[in-house]
Each structure stands twice: as C-alpha cells, then as structure tokens.
Amino acid sequence: MHELTSFAGALRGDGISLDSLRQGARALCVGTELSAVFRVGTGSDGEQHAVLATVGPSGGGTVARVALPRAFRVEHITHDATHFTLRAADGRTVRATPEQFGTHVLLLPPGDDPRYEVRLTEAFLATALLPDRSWTPDRTPAVHDAVLGTITYAQGTGGYGTDLVLGDQDVRLTFDGADVEKVTELLPHVRDLVAGFAPVEAAGRQFLWSWGSDGTETADDEHRYHGALRPGALVVYRSGDFEVHFDDTSGDYFLDGYWPVVRHRADRTPTSVSVEA
C-alpha cells in the first residue's frame, strides 16, 4: 500500500507522486477539494484493492483500505466538492463522502459466512446511508422501543446505541454501520436476542474457554474462568450477525486494557474470537 506522502504529493500536484499512484491503478481520483485521494488497483489474484487517503492541513492523515465487493467492478471515480462517485463496469454508481467510504462496516469474515459477498455488496451499495458526522440532527433521530428503550445516535462514535441491563450486568448495545432505517429494521431481531441473552452469553464464554484452554486445566479452573468473564457490550451488525465483548473482572486472564470478543452468526452460533484493546 502506498505511503501517505504519495497521496499528499498528488494533492499538491506533484507529478512523481501522481505517476507512482497511477501505476497499476484501475481507477484514481485526486479530490483536491476533499483533501482526499481514492485509488483502486487490481491484484494478481484479480481482487480489487481500494484505498482512501485523507490528508489534513498540517500534512497528517490516514490511508485506509476500502472493501469492494466482486460484484462492483470499479471502472471510474469522479468527485465534486463534497463526495466521491464510483462507477462500476455495469453502470451502477455509489456516491458518498470520504467519511462514509472510510467507514469500516463489520462483517463476519468469508470463512465464517458463506454469504459474505452478498453481505459486502449490500453494505457497499448502502454506503451513502451510513451516518456522517456532518449530518444535521434531523437525519439521525432517536429510535424509541418499548423493550430496548431510547436508542440515540452518538456524534462522537458515529453510531446508534443504548445502555441495557441484562440480568445483573450493564451492557452497551450498539448498531454497527446503521442509519435510523436499518436500526428500525433490526429491532425485532435484537429484541429476541436480548430476551434470550443468557444462553448467548454462556455459549460465548464456553467458546472462549475452548479457544484458550490447552486441555490441562481442571474443572475448578474452568469454573473460575467462566465466573470472571462478564459481558460488557453487544454490537449488532447490519447483517444481524453480532459480537459480544467480555470484561475480565478478575484481571487474571487478559492484560489490562485488553478484552476478548466473540463473534456470532445471527442464529447465535459462535464463530470466532479476537482480543481487542
């Protein structure tokens, strides 16, 4: 992946930087008014490799990968004062702000979801619906639900969420990559998930234990492990899949500032684990 300096140079009109970015590029757009550059290349495996670089006034910035579905083969990129527009070989277009294109929408990885490409395509085509921090409050109204309470949009995090009490545990519920319509669409699924959260929590802890144990532990070791892990957050994906974040209340199993996450399919089957910081 190209360094930020190459993208910054292209925004300044530096010919060497532009030539470097054009090499191997399927599509390239230098959005001077946006202080951003969108580049799509094709790898030896035929996959599209897209990056979006944003450069601040002081020269700092970010270079982020953008996941593109196979079904949307980018042919051309243009821009105006506020948006990039990507056009596919089949004529379809997606127009969105740099922030929207740079939003990482959570999906289960391809190995865990046979419908991964379908999910990715749906999310990408909905890029323009992803909340943007420039939106006025009328575009991100609160959602009121009799079971889940008031779900509000947090400008700082760029997402919808609310605080729940599940059993005797405070759990933060958030909706990833969702505008008000998608949150509303997901409500029945989330109500059922919350109502049956105890077995989900237990399955997640058991999945974590199986993931981390080496077979030499005793039954008492397993009991203490299960007792130490408590759910702290529930993140629901656009697809209805979800992840549960656990807190190690003992401090014995995960380093300070780190916590385990268990990902589940929408049918509540645990699929994978990661450790976040």
Side-chain angles (χ1 to χ4, degrees):
M1 191 161 63
H2 291 270
E3 299 292 332
L4 180 64
T5 52
S6 297
F7 295 102
L11 286 166
R12 294 193 305 268
D14 176 66
I16 295 176
S17 296
L18 282 167
D19 289 342
S20 172
L21 294 176
R22 287 184 180 123
Q23 291 180 15
R26 183 180 179 89
L28 176 70
C29 184
V30 179
T32 306
E33 297 93 331
L34 301 172
S35 297
V37 179
F38 212 133
R39 182 185 187 276
V40 178
T42 305
S44 58
D45 55 1
E47 289 293 305
Q48 299 181 101
H49 301 289
V51 293
L52 175 65
T54 56
V55 181
S58 63
T62 60
V63 180
R65 295 188 183 277
V66 179
L68 294 177
R70 296 174 186 268
F72 195 95
R73 301 293 295 177
V74 175
E75 186 176 70
H76 192 58
I77 308 173
T78 58
H79 77 90
D80 55 28
T82 55
H83 295 73
F84 283 111
T85 299
L86 275 60
R87 188 181 74 233
D90 61 10
R92 289 180 297 173
T93 60
V94 174
R95 179 177 181 269
T97 65
E99 180 179 339
Q100 290 171 320
F101 276 120
T103 299
H104 175 66
V105 176
L106 294 173
L107 298 170
L108 293 180
D112 293 333
D113 185 0
R115 290 175 55 80
Y116 173 79
E117 279 294 327
V118 174
R119 312 282 197 202
L120 178 58
T121 300
E122 185 279 331
F124 182 74
L125 294 177
T127 298
L129 302 178
L130 299 177
D132 186 296
R133 278 182 284 254
S134 67
W135 283 7
T136 53
D138 62 291
R139 298 188 66 179
T140 54
V143 178
H144 302 283
D145 184 78
V147 174
L148 303 174
T150 300
I151 304 165
T152 58
Y153 176 75
Q155 197 78 16
T157 62
Y160 275 89
T162 188
D163 294 315
L164 303 175
V165 178
L166 301 180
D168 60 352
Q169 189 73 14
D170 294 330
V171 175
R172 179 66 182 174
L173 167 67
T174 58
F175 293 79
D176 178 75
D179 63 342
V180 63
E181 285 79 12
K182 177 57 72 171
V183 170
T184 303
E185 177 187 323
L186 287 167
L187 287 178
H189 170 59
V190 178
R191 287 190 210 106
D192 288 345
L193 179 59
V194 167
F197 191 70
V200 171
E201 173 189 345
R205 283 199 305 267
Q206 185 60 47
F207 195 80
L208 273 171
W209 171 257
S210 300
W211 168 80
S213 65
D214 61 14
T216 64
E217 299 86 355
T218 67
D220 285 342
D221 292 333
E222 182 174 0
H223 180 73
R224 284 193 296 271
Y225 184 85
H226 283 278
L229 295 180
R230 306 296 298 273
L234 169 64
V235 182
V236 179
Y237 301 177
R238 292 181 61 86
S239 61
D241 301 322
F242 62 93
E243 60 187 45
V244 180
H245 295 226
F246 286 88
D247 298 323
D248 175 10
T249 60
S250 69
D252 294 335
Y253 303 103
F254 295 89
L255 294 174
D256 186 39
Y258 293 80
W259 65 91
V261 175
V262 181
R263 295 177 182 82
H264 300 249
R265 297 192 184 100
D267 65 4
R268 309 184 188 185
T269 304
T271 63
S272 63
V273 172
S274 66
V275 178
E276 308 291 326

